[in-house]
Amino acid sequence: MAADLAPAAGPGCVAWRRGLWTVFLLFTTGLIVHLAGSLDWAGAFAALRALPLGTLLAALACAAAGHAIYASYEMLGRPLRPTRWRGRAGQAGTAATRAVPARWMLAVGFVSFAFKLNLGTVVGGVALRYRLYGRLGLAFDETTRILAASVLTNWIGYVALAGALLLAQPPLLPAGWGPGPGALRAVGAGLLLSAVAYAVACGRAEGREWHWRRHALRLPSLRVALLQFGLSALHWLLTAAVCWVLLQRQVDFASVLNALLVSAVAGLITHVPGGVGVIEAVFIGLLQSRVGQAELLAALLGFRAVYYLLPLMLAVALFFVVDRRRAGMNAGA
C-alpha cells in the first residue's frame, strides 16, 4: 500500500526552528561559560583521585554493558540477503554465500557508537557505518536499513523511558529553566502515548510495506518492537548507572536518570560533538543543590573517561581491524 509523506516544512517553519535552535545554543553556551569559570576544578580532580577502585570497576562494568547493548541494535537491521564471501586472500578456497557474521556487525556497532559519542552523529553514526559495512560487502540500502533500525531503537526506548519517568518523578528544574511538574507530566503522558502508538502500529501493520519513490517503509513486528523498547531502555539505564555509581549513590537514581535524559536532548539540539559542556551544564544545573560541586564534577569527569574516551581508544584500534576487512575474505575467519 502506498503512503503519501507529509509535505516539506515551509520557510516560516524552518526559520522558527533555526531561531529556536539559536536561542537554545546561546543559552547553553552562556551557561557553560558561566559554570566553567565558577567551578572548583582543583577539588574536582582531588575527588576524582579519591574514588575507590571498586567504584571505578563498577562504572566500567556498566559502561561496557551499555556499549555492548547499543552495538546489538545493529542486529535488528541485519540484512536478510546473504553476502558473498570467498576464501581468505592469498589462499585457495571455493566461493561461499553466507550472512555477515554477527561479530563483525557488533564490531561496527561498537566503533560507530564510540565515534558518534565523541565526534558527532555525522562522523560516527553515519559516515563510519557506510564505510565499514561497505568493507564487509553490504550495499548502500542495506547499510541504510541497519542505521535506521539502530537510530529508531535508541530513541523509541528513550521516548518510553522518559515518558514513564516524567509521569512518575519529573525533574525539579531550576527557576527559569522550563515548565513545572504538571506540564512535565503532560509531556510524559504524550511520550508514553507515542510509544504505545508505535507498538500498536507494529502489531497491526506487520508484513505491510509502504513505498515512496525508490524507498520502502516496513515496520517491524510487535515482538521486534518490544525488543527495541527493552534493549534501548536497558541501555539508557546502564548509562545513567555509570554516573550514579561514580556519584557513589549520593543522589537517587531517578534524579540521575532525569539529568541524563535531559542532557541527551540538549546535546541533540545543540549538535555539540560529544555534548562537551552541555552534559556537564545540565547535570550541574539539576543536581548541584543535592551533592557537593567537587564530587559532582569528579563524577562527570569520570563519566567522560569511562564512557567516552576509553571506548574511543578501543574503537580506534578496532576500526583499523574492520577497515582492513574485505567482503572477499572468509566469513568464518
Side-chain angles (χ1 to χ4, degrees), residues 24-53:
F24 191 90
L25 179 61
L26 290 174
F27 171 78
T28 305
T29 302
L31 182 61
I32 292 171
V33 172
H34 172 73
L35 288 174
S38 61
L39 295 178
D40 179 15
W41 292 103
F45 283 108
L48 182 62
R49 290 191 296 269
L51 286 175
L53 178 60

PDB file of all heavy atoms in Angstrom, residues 24-53:
ATOM      1  N   PHE A  24      18.514  28.406  21.991  1.00  0.00           N
ATOM      2  CA  PHE A  24      18.939  27.335  22.893  1.00  0.00           C
ATOM      3  C   PHE A  24      20.456  27.239  22.927  1.00  0.00           C
ATOM      4  O   PHE A  24      21.063  27.056  23.988  1.00  0.00           O
ATOM      5  CB  PHE A  24      18.335  26.003  22.435  1.00  0.00           C
ATOM      6  CG  PHE A  24      18.493  24.898  23.429  1.00  0.00           C
ATOM      7  CD1 PHE A  24      17.535  24.669  24.402  1.00  0.00           C
ATOM      8  CD2 PHE A  24      19.618  24.079  23.404  1.00  0.00           C
ATOM      9  CE1 PHE A  24      17.685  23.654  25.335  1.00  0.00           C
ATOM     10  CE2 PHE A  24      19.776  23.061  24.324  1.00  0.00           C
ATOM     11  CZ  PHE A  24      18.808  22.857  25.291  1.00  0.00           C
ATOM     12  N   LEU A  25      21.100  27.381  21.758  1.00  0.00           N
ATOM     13  CA  LEU A  25      22.552  27.282  21.698  1.00  0.00           C
ATOM     14  C   LEU A  25      23.203  28.424  22.465  1.00  0.00           C
ATOM     15  O   LEU A  25      24.159  28.218  23.225  1.00  0.00           O
ATOM     16  CB  LEU A  25      23.015  27.294  20.241  1.00  0.00           C
ATOM     17  CG  LEU A  25      24.533  27.231  20.015  1.00  0.00           C
ATOM     18  CD1 LEU A  25      25.099  25.949  20.601  1.00  0.00           C
ATOM     19  CD2 LEU A  25      24.849  27.313  18.521  1.00  0.00           C
ATOM     20  N   LEU A  26      22.684  29.644  22.294  1.00  0.00           N
ATOM     21  CA  LEU A  26      23.231  30.796  23.009  1.00  0.00           C
ATOM     22  C   LEU A  26      23.048  30.641  24.515  1.00  0.00           C
ATOM     23  O   LEU A  26      23.955  30.950  25.305  1.00  0.00           O
ATOM     24  CB  LEU A  26      22.567  32.083  22.516  1.00  0.00           C
ATOM     25  CG  LEU A  26      22.918  32.522  21.090  1.00  0.00           C
ATOM     26  CD1 LEU A  26      22.088  33.725  20.682  1.00  0.00           C
ATOM     27  CD2 LEU A  26      24.409  32.824  20.956  1.00  0.00           C
ATOM     28  N   PHE A  27      21.865  30.155  24.916  1.00  0.00           N
ATOM     29  CA  PHE A  27      21.606  29.953  26.341  1.00  0.00           C
ATOM     30  C   PHE A  27      22.564  28.925  26.923  1.00  0.00           C
ATOM     31  O   PHE A  27      23.159  29.128  27.989  1.00  0.00           O
ATOM     32  CB  PHE A  27      20.158  29.504  26.539  1.00  0.00           C
ATOM     33  CG  PHE A  27      19.852  29.059  27.946  1.00  0.00           C
ATOM     34  CD1 PHE A  27      19.653  29.982  28.953  1.00  0.00           C
ATOM     35  CD2 PHE A  27      19.772  27.700  28.248  1.00  0.00           C
ATOM     36  CE1 PHE A  27      19.379  29.580  30.249  1.00  0.00           C
ATOM     37  CE2 PHE A  27      19.504  27.284  29.539  1.00  0.00           C
ATOM     38  CZ  PHE A  27      19.300  28.232  30.538  1.00  0.00           C
ATOM     39  N   THR A  28      22.725  27.807  26.201  1.00  0.00           N
ATOM     40  CA  THR A  28      23.600  26.737  26.689  1.00  0.00           C
ATOM     41  C   THR A  28      25.048  27.195  26.737  1.00  0.00           C
ATOM     42  O   THR A  28      25.778  26.914  27.688  1.00  0.00           O
ATOM     43  CB  THR A  28      23.467  25.497  25.797  1.00  0.00           C
ATOM     44  OG1 THR A  28      22.099  25.110  25.711  1.00  0.00           O
ATOM     45  CG2 THR A  28      24.277  24.345  26.349  1.00  0.00           C
ATOM     46  N   THR A  29      25.480  27.908  25.682  1.00  0.00           N
ATOM     47  CA  THR A  29      26.863  28.390  25.648  1.00  0.00           C
ATOM     48  C   THR A  29      27.133  29.344  26.804  1.00  0.00           C
ATOM     49  O   THR A  29      28.172  29.256  27.477  1.00  0.00           O
ATOM     50  CB  THR A  29      27.136  29.103  24.313  1.00  0.00           C
ATOM     51  OG1 THR A  29      26.884  28.203  23.232  1.00  0.00           O
ATOM     52  CG2 THR A  29      28.583  29.574  24.238  1.00  0.00           C
ATOM     53  N   GLY A  30      26.193  30.267  27.048  1.00  0.00           N
ATOM     54  CA  GLY A  30      26.356  31.190  28.160  1.00  0.00           C
ATOM     55  C   GLY A  30      26.413  30.476  29.496  1.00  0.00           C
ATOM     56  O   GLY A  30      27.211  30.831  30.375  1.00  0.00           O
ATOM     57  N   LEU A  31      25.562  29.451  29.641  1.00  0.00           N
ATOM     58  CA  LEU A  31      25.552  28.689  30.888  1.00  0.00           C
ATOM     59  C   LEU A  31      26.865  27.947  31.087  1.00  0.00           C
ATOM     60  O   LEU A  31      27.419  27.914  32.187  1.00  0.00           O
ATOM     61  CB  LEU A  31      24.377  27.701  30.876  1.00  0.00           C
ATOM     62  CG  LEU A  31      24.178  26.845  32.125  1.00  0.00           C
ATOM     63  CD1 LEU A  31      23.908  27.735  33.331  1.00  0.00           C
ATOM     64  CD2 LEU A  31      23.032  25.856  31.909  1.00  0.00           C
ATOM     65  N   ILE A  32      27.399  27.371  30.007  1.00  0.00           N
ATOM     66  CA  ILE A  32      28.660  26.630  30.103  1.00  0.00           C
ATOM     67  C   ILE A  32      29.798  27.564  30.486  1.00  0.00           C
ATOM     68  O   ILE A  32      30.622  27.256  31.358  1.00  0.00           O
ATOM     69  CB  ILE A  32      28.962  25.926  28.762  1.00  0.00           C
ATOM     70  CG1 ILE A  32      27.944  24.802  28.507  1.00  0.00           C
ATOM     71  CG2 ILE A  32      30.377  25.350  28.765  1.00  0.00           C
ATOM     72  CD1 ILE A  32      28.037  24.214  27.117  1.00  0.00           C
ATOM     73  N   VAL A  33      29.864  28.732  29.823  1.00  0.00           N
ATOM     74  CA  VAL A  33      30.927  29.696  30.124  1.00  0.00           C
ATOM     75  C   VAL A  33      30.829  30.167  31.569  1.00  0.00           C
ATOM     76  O   VAL A  33      31.835  30.271  32.282  1.00  0.00           O
ATOM     77  CB  VAL A  33      30.849  30.890  29.152  1.00  0.00           C
ATOM     78  CG1 VAL A  33      31.833  31.985  29.578  1.00  0.00           C
ATOM     79  CG2 VAL A  33      31.156  30.427  27.732  1.00  0.00           C
ATOM     80  N   HIS A  34      29.602  30.440  32.011  1.00  0.00           N
ATOM     81  CA  HIS A  34      29.408  30.885  33.393  1.00  0.00           C
ATOM     82  C   HIS A  34      29.835  29.817  34.392  1.00  0.00           C
ATOM     83  O   HIS A  34      30.527  30.112  35.381  1.00  0.00           O
ATOM     84  CB  HIS A  34      27.941  31.256  33.608  1.00  0.00           C
ATOM     85  CG  HIS A  34      27.599  31.536  35.044  1.00  0.00           C
ATOM     86  ND1 HIS A  34      28.003  32.685  35.700  1.00  0.00           N
ATOM     87  CD2 HIS A  34      26.900  30.791  35.963  1.00  0.00           C
ATOM     88  CE1 HIS A  34      27.571  32.651  36.944  1.00  0.00           C
ATOM     89  NE2 HIS A  34      26.901  31.522  37.135  1.00  0.00           N
ATOM     90  N   LEU A  35      29.441  28.574  34.119  1.00  0.00           N
ATOM     91  CA  LEU A  35      29.772  27.496  35.040  1.00  0.00           C
ATOM     92  C   LEU A  35      31.267  27.196  35.047  1.00  0.00           C
ATOM     93  O   LEU A  35      31.856  26.938  36.103  1.00  0.00           O
ATOM     94  CB  LEU A  35      28.985  26.232  34.664  1.00  0.00           C
ATOM     95  CG  LEU A  35      27.482  26.245  34.960  1.00  0.00           C
ATOM     96  CD1 LEU A  35      26.830  24.986  34.391  1.00  0.00           C
ATOM     97  CD2 LEU A  35      27.221  26.351  36.449  1.00  0.00           C
ATOM     98  N   ALA A  36      31.887  27.225  33.848  1.00  0.00           N
ATOM     99  CA  ALA A  36      33.305  26.871  33.754  1.00  0.00           C
ATOM    100  C   ALA A  36      34.168  27.794  34.600  1.00  0.00           C
ATOM    101  O   ALA A  36      35.174  27.367  35.185  1.00  0.00           O
ATOM    102  CB  ALA A  36      33.757  26.909  32.299  1.00  0.00           C
ATOM    103  N   GLY A  37      33.776  29.045  34.673  1.00  0.00           N
ATOM    104  CA  GLY A  37      34.579  29.990  35.437  1.00  0.00           C
ATOM    105  C   GLY A  37      34.356  29.917  36.934  1.00  0.00           C
ATOM    106  O   GLY A  37      35.133  30.489  37.703  1.00  0.00           O
ATOM    107  N   SER A  38      33.318  29.229  37.355  1.00  0.00           N
ATOM    108  CA  SER A  38      32.994  29.195  38.785  1.00  0.00           C
ATOM    109  C   SER A  38      33.174  27.815  39.409  1.00  0.00           C
ATOM    110  O   SER A  38      32.827  27.627  40.572  1.00  0.00           O
ATOM    111  CB  SER A  38      31.544  29.655  38.990  1.00  0.00           C
ATOM    112  OG  SER A  38      30.649  28.791  38.306  1.00  0.00           O
ATOM    113  N   LEU A  39      33.692  26.874  38.636  1.00  0.00           N
ATOM    114  CA  LEU A  39      33.818  25.508  39.140  1.00  0.00           C
ATOM    115  C   LEU A  39      35.113  25.315  39.916  1.00  0.00           C
ATOM    116  O   LEU A  39      36.147  25.923  39.610  1.00  0.00           O
ATOM    117  CB  LEU A  39      33.762  24.509  37.980  1.00  0.00           C
ATOM    118  CG  LEU A  39      32.436  24.436  37.215  1.00  0.00           C
ATOM    119  CD1 LEU A  39      32.538  23.454  36.065  1.00  0.00           C
ATOM    120  CD2 LEU A  39      31.296  24.048  38.144  1.00  0.00           C
ATOM    121  N   ASP A  40      35.053  24.433  40.883  1.00  0.00           N
ATOM    122  CA  ASP A  40      36.216  24.105  41.713  1.00  0.00           C
ATOM    123  C   ASP A  40      36.958  22.937  41.066  1.00  0.00           C
ATOM    124  O   ASP A  40      36.787  21.776  41.450  1.00  0.00           O
ATOM    125  CB  ASP A  40      35.745  23.748  43.132  1.00  0.00           C
ATOM    126  CG  ASP A  40      36.905  23.369  44.044  1.00  0.00           C
ATOM    127  OD1 ASP A  40      38.058  23.648  43.681  1.00  0.00           O
ATOM    128  OD2 ASP A  40      36.629  22.783  45.107  1.00  0.00           O
ATOM    129  N   TRP A  41      37.803  23.254  40.081  1.00  0.00           N
ATOM    130  CA  TRP A  41      38.481  22.188  39.336  1.00  0.00           C
ATOM    131  C   TRP A  41      39.489  21.450  40.208  1.00  0.00           C
ATOM    132  O   TRP A  41      39.631  20.227  40.086  1.00  0.00           O
ATOM    133  CB  TRP A  41      39.177  22.784  38.108  1.00  0.00           C
ATOM    134  CG  TRP A  41      38.211  23.299  37.083  1.00  0.00           C
ATOM    135  CD1 TRP A  41      37.869  24.595  36.840  1.00  0.00           C
ATOM    136  CD2 TRP A  41      37.439  22.508  36.177  1.00  0.00           C
ATOM    137  NE1 TRP A  41      36.934  24.668  35.827  1.00  0.00           N
ATOM    138  CE2 TRP A  41      36.655  23.397  35.403  1.00  0.00           C
ATOM    139  CE3 TRP A  41      37.325  21.146  35.943  1.00  0.00           C
ATOM    140  CZ2 TRP A  41      35.782  22.973  34.413  1.00  0.00           C
ATOM    141  CZ3 TRP A  41      36.465  20.708  34.944  1.00  0.00           C
ATOM    142  CH2 TRP A  41      35.702  21.613  34.203  1.00  0.00           C
ATOM    143  N   ALA A  42      40.200  22.162  41.054  1.00  0.00           N
ATOM    144  CA  ALA A  42      41.187  21.502  41.921  1.00  0.00           C
ATOM    145  C   ALA A  42      40.501  20.502  42.837  1.00  0.00           C
ATOM    146  O   ALA A  42      40.962  19.357  43.009  1.00  0.00           O
ATOM    147  CB  ALA A  42      41.941  22.549  42.730  1.00  0.00           C
ATOM    148  N   GLY A  43      39.387  20.892  43.425  1.00  0.00           N
ATOM    149  CA  GLY A  43      38.641  19.985  44.280  1.00  0.00           C
ATOM    150  C   GLY A  43      38.069  18.816  43.508  1.00  0.00           C
ATOM    151  O   GLY A  43      37.999  17.690  44.022  1.00  0.00           O
ATOM    152  N   ALA A  44      37.672  19.075  42.263  1.00  0.00           N
ATOM    153  CA  ALA A  44      37.108  18.002  41.438  1.00  0.00           C
ATOM    154  C   ALA A  44      38.148  16.934  41.138  1.00  0.00           C
ATOM    155  O   ALA A  44      37.875  15.729  41.248  1.00  0.00           O
ATOM    156  CB  ALA A  44      36.548  18.589  40.147  1.00  0.00           C
ATOM    157  N   PHE A  45      39.356  17.355  40.757  1.00  0.00           N
ATOM    158  CA  PHE A  45      40.400  16.367  40.456  1.00  0.00           C
ATOM    159  C   PHE A  45      40.835  15.626  41.720  1.00  0.00           C
ATOM    160  O   PHE A  45      41.163  14.435  41.660  1.00  0.00           O
ATOM    161  CB  PHE A  45      41.592  17.049  39.791  1.00  0.00           C
ATOM    162  CG  PHE A  45      41.367  17.365  38.337  1.00  0.00           C
ATOM    163  CD1 PHE A  45      41.178  18.667  37.911  1.00  0.00           C
ATOM    164  CD2 PHE A  45      41.333  16.348  37.393  1.00  0.00           C
ATOM    165  CE1 PHE A  45      40.959  18.967  36.573  1.00  0.00           C
ATOM    166  CE2 PHE A  45      41.116  16.624  36.047  1.00  0.00           C
ATOM    167  CZ  PHE A  45      40.926  17.946  35.636  1.00  0.00           C
ATOM    168  N   ALA A  46      40.814  16.301  42.838  1.00  0.00           N
ATOM    169  CA  ALA A  46      41.132  15.617  44.096  1.00  0.00           C
ATOM    170  C   ALA A  46      40.068  14.578  44.429  1.00  0.00           C
ATOM    171  O   ALA A  46      40.385  13.454  44.858  1.00  0.00           O
ATOM    172  CB  ALA A  46      41.245  16.645  45.228  1.00  0.00           C
ATOM    173  N   ALA A  47      38.802  14.926  44.216  1.00  0.00           N
ATOM    174  CA  ALA A  47      37.714  13.975  44.461  1.00  0.00           C
ATOM    175  C   ALA A  47      37.770  12.816  43.476  1.00  0.00           C
ATOM    176  O   ALA A  47      37.455  11.675  43.830  1.00  0.00           O
ATOM    177  CB  ALA A  47      36.370  14.693  44.358  1.00  0.00           C
ATOM    178  N   LEU A  48      38.191  13.101  42.245  1.00  0.00           N
ATOM    179  CA  LEU A  48      38.303  12.041  41.244  1.00  0.00           C
ATOM    180  C   LEU A  48      39.383  11.038  41.636  1.00  0.00           C
ATOM    181  O   LEU A  48      39.190   9.822  41.529  1.00  0.00           O
ATOM    182  CB  LEU A  48      38.613  12.651  39.874  1.00  0.00           C
ATOM    183  CG  LEU A  48      38.722  11.682  38.696  1.00  0.00           C
ATOM    184  CD1 LEU A  48      37.406  10.950  38.477  1.00  0.00           C
ATOM    185  CD2 LEU A  48      39.129  12.434  37.435  1.00  0.00           C
ATOM    186  N   ARG A  49      40.512  11.542  42.104  1.00  0.00           N
ATOM    187  CA  ARG A  49      41.597  10.651  42.537  1.00  0.00           C
ATOM    188  C   ARG A  49      41.209   9.842  43.769  1.00  0.00           C
ATOM    189  O   ARG A  49      41.739   8.753  44.005  1.00  0.00           O
ATOM    190  CB  ARG A  49      42.864  11.461  42.823  1.00  0.00           C
ATOM    191  CG  ARG A  49      43.531  12.039  41.589  1.00  0.00           C
ATOM    192  CD  ARG A  49      44.912  12.587  41.923  1.00  0.00           C
ATOM    193  NE  ARG A  49      44.834  13.715  42.853  1.00  0.00           N
ATOM    194  CZ  ARG A  49      44.742  14.991  42.470  1.00  0.00           C
ATOM    195  NH1 ARG A  49      44.712  15.301  41.175  1.00  0.00           N
ATOM    196  NH2 ARG A  49      44.687  15.946  43.375  1.00  0.00           N
ATOM    197  N   ALA A  50      40.272  10.350  44.548  1.00  0.00           N
ATOM    198  CA  ALA A  50      39.871   9.682  45.787  1.00  0.00           C
ATOM    199  C   ALA A  50      38.792   8.630  45.563  1.00  0.00           C
ATOM    200  O   ALA A  50      38.406   7.940  46.521  1.00  0.00           O
ATOM    201  CB  ALA A  50      39.377  10.718  46.794  1.00  0.00           C
ATOM    202  N   LEU A  51      38.288   8.495  44.345  1.00  0.00           N
ATOM    203  CA  LEU A  51      37.246   7.493  44.096  1.00  0.00           C
ATOM    204  C   LEU A  51      37.786   6.088  44.360  1.00  0.00           C
ATOM    205  O   LEU A  51      38.873   5.734  43.890  1.00  0.00           O
ATOM    206  CB  LEU A  51      36.756   7.585  42.645  1.00  0.00           C
ATOM    207  CG  LEU A  51      35.855   8.775  42.296  1.00  0.00           C
ATOM    208  CD1 LEU A  51      35.545   8.790  40.792  1.00  0.00           C
ATOM    209  CD2 LEU A  51      34.554   8.720  43.094  1.00  0.00           C
ATOM    210  N   PRO A  52      37.046   5.257  45.086  1.00  0.00           N
ATOM    211  CA  PRO A  52      37.507   3.888  45.375  1.00  0.00           C
ATOM    212  C   PRO A  52      37.637   3.063  44.096  1.00  0.00           C
ATOM    213  O   PRO A  52      36.917   3.285  43.108  1.00  0.00           O
ATOM    214  CB  PRO A  52      36.407   3.328  46.278  1.00  0.00           C
ATOM    215  CG  PRO A  52      35.695   4.523  46.818  1.00  0.00           C
ATOM    216  CD  PRO A  52      35.774   5.569  45.754  1.00  0.00           C
ATOM    217  N   LEU A  53      38.550   2.104  44.123  1.00  0.00           N
ATOM    218  CA  LEU A  53      38.761   1.242  42.963  1.00  0.00           C
ATOM    219  C   LEU A  53      37.484   0.469  42.623  1.00  0.00           C
ATOM    220  O   LEU A  53      37.140   0.297  41.448  1.00  0.00           O
ATOM    221  CB  LEU A  53      39.905   0.259  43.252  1.00  0.00           C
ATOM    222  CG  LEU A  53      40.208  -0.756  42.140  1.00  0.00           C
ATOM    223  CD1 LEU A  53      40.599  -0.055  40.848  1.00  0.00           C
ATOM    224  CD2 LEU A  53      41.304  -1.719  42.588  1.00  0.00           C
TER     225      LEU A  53
END
